[in-house]
Amino acid sequence: MRVIVAEDSALLREGLVRLLEDEGHRVIASVGDADSLLAAVAEEAPDVAVVDVRMPPTHTDEGLRAAVRIRRERPGVGVLVLSQYVEKRYATRLFSENTTGVGYLLKDRVVEVDEFLEALVRVGGGGAAFDPEVVRQLLAGSSRQDPQGRLTGRERDVMDLMAQGHTNPAIAARLFVSQSAVEKHANAIFDKLDLGDTAGYSRRVLAVLRYIGA
């Protein structure tokens, strides 16, 4: 895949570039600020942009705002956001723009190389990838009237993995159950959360996250 890396830390930026190139991806630009990211995306039209949330000059939300703009103006470009901490408001802003090709990982997840690369490919292919800790904190921070109280323990397990972006076969393998059992639990989840009409894998994932993180 053709990738742009936007990270203000030169050490981490170069590490990401080397990792991606070693795995056969083509890094077409590596930049250290949001303006350079937007210019590179406009010029190169990458498959995926890997974006740090906090970038110069204020190191608050420049990267996140650039990611939201990319998703709005160039929906064909996948965006994988990296953050040092779970930023709930940033996560909800990010996936509220559209429903494909989005990911939000904590920087610690980069150390788990296989998981990071899997997330990158998933986002580049139009899917979703959310860090387990991001999902857990969104689940814990729901402002609705306990919509999850209607879910069984197993349905919660399935929803947690679904929200991270895993496919039904992958969920079945992780929970040591059949794929049909996962499909049954997933249907029950969306019925109980009044999301039964949502279509498509990535759209289902993001609908759940919007619901519990609103």
Side-chain angles (χ1 to χ4, degrees):
M1 288 192 304
R2 301 170 72 253
V3 183
I4 288 177
V5 175
E7 164 61 54
D8 70 306
S9 167
L11 183 62
L12 179 54
R13 184 169 67 247
E14 292 307 311
L16 286 170
V17 170
R18 175 165 295 190
L19 169 63
L20 293 171
E21 290 182 339
D22 285 348
E23 292 297 323
H25 299 293
R26 181 185 172 197
V27 179
I28 54 179
S30 61
V31 299
D33 62 82
D35 288 342
S36 298
L37 166 63
L38 293 172
V41 169
E43 181 176 351
E44 301 290 348
D47 297 310
V48 183
V50 179
V51 184
D52 183 19
V53 165
R54 300 186 177 191
M55 302 185 75
T58 68
H59 295 278
T60 55
D61 65 350
E62 283 86 351
L64 184 280
R65 286 189 282 110
V68 171
R69 180 174 170 182
I70 291 168
R71 284 173 51 71
R72 182 185 304 120
E73 297 178 357
R74 301 178 182 275
V77 177
V79 175
L80 179 57
V81 168
L82 301 180
S83 179
Q84 191 69 41
Y85 309 101
V86 178
E87 308 271 10
K88 295 180 184 179
R89 59 196 171 112
Y90 292 161
T92 54
R93 280 178 60 190
L94 180 67
F95 58 65
S96 66
E97 290 295 316
N98 60 52
T99 57
T100 61
V102 60
Y104 188 112
L105 300 181
L106 296 183
K107 289 185 176 180
D108 288 346
R109 191 65 52 188
V110 177
V111 179
E112 305 294 336
V113 174
D114 290 343
E115 292 186 26
F116 170 69
L117 293 172
E118 179 188 352
L120 180 82
V121 171
R122 191 186 307 151
V123 169
F130 288 85
D131 194 285
E133 185 59 28
V134 173
V135 174
R136 277 193 287 271
Q137 292 206 27
L138 287 177
L139 288 171
S142 174
S143 61
R144 295 177 180 265
Q145 189 173 358
D146 193 24
Q148 301 163 62
R150 290 172 272 173
L151 303 182
T152 66
R154 180 57 82 186
E155 288 166 355
R156 283 171 173 266
D157 293 338
V158 170
M159 188 171 75
D160 185 50
L161 291 170
M162 190 184 301
Q164 292 172 36
H166 294 291
T167 62
N168 284 355
I171 294 172
R174 287 171 179 258
L175 297 180
F176 304 102
V177 298
S178 67
Q179 187 173 336
S180 62
V182 172
E183 292 170 354
K184 179 180 177 181
H185 290 312
N187 289 333
I189 288 168
F190 289 111
D191 285 343
K192 292 179 180 181
L193 298 184
D194 300 322
L195 297 168
D197 293 334
T198 304
Y201 169 67
S202 295
R203 294 177 68 187
R204 290 191 312 163
V205 173
L206 297 172
V208 171
L209 287 173
R210 280 200 299 269
Y211 187 89
I212 62 181

